[in-house]
């Protein structure tokens, strides 16, 4: 069991061999950033685990990366969570599906949120 898992944080599923099912959250550290991997559908009935993970990460880490490649649906509750967390820390979104990218564009949230194509790019600290 890794140190992160002992503190209630889950390891990278690709490293542990786990396969996520339904809406859920996996977390790990990469290049000094805290990565949260979201998958499944997020609405007011399913958002709590993701909200808890992102809000805890925002309190502890200066860079939080949210991998949204596995998100199949997100309503206004999901979008509001992203905007709220963005106001608390550096939040970077990675690899949104075309439908979610379109939602970001229509709502103009893409002009506020930092959307990156790759996990590697999103996890790197900005050079000063």
């Amino acid at each position: 069991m890794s140190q992160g898992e002992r503190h209630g944080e889950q390891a990278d599923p690709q490293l542990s061999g786990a396969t996520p099912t339904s809406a859920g959250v996996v977390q790990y550290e990469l290049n000094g950033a805290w990565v949260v991997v979201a998958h499944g559908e997020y609405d007011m009935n399913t958002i709590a685990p993701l909200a808890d993970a992102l809000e805890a990460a925002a309190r502890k880490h200066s860079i939080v990366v949210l991998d949204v490649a596995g998100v199949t649906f997100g309503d206004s509750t999901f979008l509001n969570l992203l905007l709220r967390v963005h106001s608390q820390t550096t939040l970077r979104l990675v690899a949104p599906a075309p439908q979610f990218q379109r939602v970001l564009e229509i709502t103009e949230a893409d002009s506020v949120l930092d959307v990156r194509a790759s996990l590697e790019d999103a996890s790197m600290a900005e050079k000063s």
Side-chain angles (χ1 to χ4, degrees):
M1 179 177 285
S2 74
Q3 182 179 3
E5 290 172 306
R6 283 191 291 273
H7 295 293
E9 300 159 349
Q10 297 178 2
D12 178 359
Q14 294 175 343
L15 299 177
S16 67
T19 303
T21 58
S22 68
V25 179
V26 174
Q27 306 177 60
Y28 60 96
E29 186 170 6
L30 179 66
N31 299 325
W34 193 251
V35 178
V36 177
V37 181
H39 55 86
E41 298 182 357
Y42 292 98
D43 60 25
M44 63 185 248
N45 296 314
T46 60
I47 199 77
L50 181 60
D52 292 345
L54 287 174
E55 289 166 356
R59 287 190 297 273
K60 296 178 186 177
H61 303 281
S62 60
I63 299 174
V64 177
V65 175
L66 180 60
D67 184 340
V68 294
V71 173
T72 56
F73 174 80
D75 70 359
S76 62
T77 308
F78 180 61
L79 188 56
N80 283 324
L81 171 64
L82 301 182
L83 294 168
R84 186 171 65 246
V85 172
H86 166 75
S87 72
Q88 300 168 359
T89 191
T90 298
L91 177 65
R92 297 175 181 161
L93 304 181
V94 176
Q99 307 92 307
F100 185 56
Q101 181 64 45
R102 184 70 179 130
V103 169
L104 295 173
E105 292 166 1
I106 290 169
T107 61
E108 297 185 0
D110 64 335
S111 66
V112 176
L113 297 171
D114 185 355
V115 181
R116 308 276 179 113
S118 76
L119 187 56
E120 188 67 27
D121 178 44
S123 66
M124 301 301 287
E126 297 294 323
K127 301 197 189 247
S128 15

